[in-house]
Amino acid sequence: PKGGQESWAYDKIDIRADAFSGSDAAYLKDPELDEFAAKIREGLRTKLSEQMDYVENMDSWEASTLSVVKSIVDGANSQAAIHGTLRMSGIFAQKQQDAAEDG
Protein backbone atom coordinates (compact mmCIF):
# COMPACT_ATOMS: atom_id res chain seq x y z
CA PRO A 1 0.00 0.00 0.00
CA LYS A 2 1.18 3.46 -0.87
CA GLY A 3 1.52 6.13 1.79
CA GLY A 4 0.87 3.67 4.62
CA GLN A 5 -2.78 3.24 3.60
CA GLU A 6 -4.49 -0.09 4.19
CA SER A 7 -4.80 -2.26 1.10
CA TRP A 8 -8.23 -2.82 -0.47
CA ALA A 9 -7.09 -6.10 -2.06
CA TYR A 10 -9.03 -9.24 -1.23
CA ASP A 11 -7.93 -12.83 -0.92
CA LYS A 12 -9.33 -15.32 -3.41
CA ILE A 13 -12.45 -17.17 -2.27
CA ASP A 14 -12.91 -20.66 -3.69
CA ILE A 15 -16.47 -21.89 -4.16
CA ARG A 16 -16.74 -25.66 -4.02
CA ALA A 17 -19.08 -27.55 -6.34
CA ASP A 18 -20.79 -29.04 -3.27
CA ALA A 19 -21.24 -25.66 -1.61
CA PHE A 20 -25.01 -26.10 -1.59
CA SER A 21 -25.20 -29.74 -0.49
CA GLY A 22 -24.38 -29.51 3.23
CA SER A 23 -26.68 -29.92 6.23
CA ASP A 24 -28.73 -26.87 5.24
CA ALA A 25 -29.04 -27.95 1.60
CA ALA A 26 -32.83 -28.31 1.78
CA TYR A 27 -33.13 -24.66 2.78
CA LEU A 28 -30.81 -23.60 -0.04
CA LYS A 29 -32.31 -25.81 -2.76
CA ASP A 30 -33.87 -23.73 -5.48
CA PRO A 31 -34.37 -25.57 -8.79
CA GLU A 32 -35.26 -22.35 -10.61
CA LEU A 33 -32.06 -20.70 -9.41
CA ASP A 34 -30.01 -23.80 -10.31
CA GLU A 35 -31.47 -23.77 -13.82
CA PHE A 36 -30.85 -20.05 -14.26
CA ALA A 37 -27.23 -20.35 -13.04
CA ALA A 38 -26.67 -23.20 -15.51
CA LYS A 39 -28.08 -21.10 -18.38
CA ILE A 40 -25.85 -18.16 -17.45
CA ARG A 41 -22.79 -20.43 -17.30
CA GLU A 42 -23.53 -22.01 -20.67
CA GLY A 43 -24.12 -18.58 -22.22
CA LEU A 44 -20.81 -17.35 -20.85
CA ARG A 45 -18.98 -20.45 -22.05
CA THR A 46 -20.43 -20.05 -25.55
CA LYS A 47 -19.59 -16.35 -25.76
CA LEU A 48 -16.05 -16.82 -24.42
CA SER A 49 -15.42 -19.70 -26.85
CA GLU A 50 -16.55 -17.50 -29.73
CA GLN A 51 -14.21 -14.73 -28.58
CA MET A 52 -11.29 -17.19 -28.45
CA ASP A 53 -11.61 -17.46 -32.26
CA TYR A 54 -10.37 -13.86 -32.47
CA VAL A 55 -7.53 -14.10 -29.94
CA GLU A 56 -4.93 -13.49 -32.68
CA ASN A 57 -6.43 -10.00 -33.20
CA MET A 58 -6.08 -9.09 -29.50
CA ASP A 59 -3.16 -7.60 -27.69
CA SER A 60 -1.43 -9.90 -25.20
CA TRP A 61 -3.24 -8.46 -22.15
CA GLU A 62 -6.69 -8.98 -23.70
CA ALA A 63 -5.82 -12.49 -24.87
CA SER A 64 -4.42 -13.43 -21.47
CA THR A 65 -7.43 -12.00 -19.61
CA LEU A 66 -9.85 -13.82 -21.92
CA SER A 67 -7.98 -17.08 -21.42
CA VAL A 68 -8.06 -16.76 -17.61
CA VAL A 69 -11.76 -15.85 -17.52
CA LYS A 70 -12.61 -18.71 -19.88
CA SER A 71 -10.70 -21.22 -17.74
CA ILE A 72 -12.57 -20.03 -14.64
CA VAL A 73 -16.00 -20.23 -16.32
CA ASP A 74 -15.12 -23.67 -17.76
CA GLY A 75 -14.32 -24.92 -14.25
CA ALA A 76 -16.85 -27.18 -12.53
CA ASN A 77 -17.24 -24.78 -9.60
CA SER A 78 -18.28 -21.81 -11.73
CA GLN A 79 -21.96 -22.75 -11.64
CA ALA A 80 -21.88 -22.80 -7.82
CA ALA A 81 -20.20 -19.38 -7.88
CA ILE A 82 -22.88 -17.99 -10.21
CA HIS A 83 -25.58 -19.56 -8.03
CA GLY A 84 -24.09 -17.91 -4.93
CA THR A 85 -23.76 -14.56 -6.65
CA LEU A 86 -27.41 -14.60 -7.72
CA ARG A 87 -28.54 -15.66 -4.25
CA MET A 88 -26.47 -12.97 -2.53
CA SER A 89 -27.65 -10.30 -4.98
CA GLY A 90 -31.24 -10.75 -3.82
CA ILE A 91 -32.44 -11.32 -7.37
CA PHE A 92 -33.73 -14.73 -6.29
CA ALA A 93 -35.01 -13.75 -2.85
CA GLN A 94 -38.19 -15.51 -1.75
CA LYS A 95 -41.38 -13.59 -2.30
CA GLN A 96 -43.00 -12.37 0.92
CA GLN A 97 -45.94 -14.76 0.47
CA ASP A 98 -43.63 -17.76 -0.05
CA ALA A 99 -41.55 -16.84 3.00
CA ALA A 100 -44.68 -16.50 5.16
CA GLU A 101 -45.93 -19.93 4.03
CA ASP A 102 -42.55 -21.51 4.85
CA GLY A 103 -42.77 -20.18 8.39
Side-chain angles (χ1 to χ4, degrees):
K2 294 182 180 179
Q5 295 179 344
E6 190 172 329
S7 172
W8 283 86
Y10 295 94
D11 291 330
K12 179 181 174 194
I13 299 173
D14 288 320
I15 305 273
R16 297 176 8 182
D18 65 349
F20 300 104
S21 61
S23 60
D24 56 356
Y27 170 73
L28 296 174
K29 273 294 182 207
D30 187 335
E32 184 181 11
L33 178 56
D34 291 337
E35 181 181 339
F36 196 65
K39 284 182 182 180
I40 289 173
R41 180 176 181 254
E42 286 310 308
L44 287 170
R45 292 181 74 203
T46 299
K47 185 68 172 175
L48 292 168
S49 291
E50 290 170 359
Q51 289 180 352
M52 289 299 287
D53 292 340
Y54 302 101
V55 76
E56 66 276 354
N57 298 328
M58 298 177 187
D59 64 41
S60 63
W61 186 87
E62 289 175 319
S64 174
T65 302
L66 178 61
S67 177
V68 169
V69 170
K70 185 177 181 320
S71 69
I72 291 168
V73 172
D74 284 343
N77 299 342
S78 67
Q79 186 170 329
I82 293 167
H83 180 145
T85 300
L86 292 171
R87 182 174 292 283
M88 295 300 292
S89 73
I91 292 173
F92 275 82
Q94 285 187 330
K95 295 177 184 173
Q96 292 296 333
Q97 181 179 352
D98 293 342
E101 290 172 2
D102 290 342

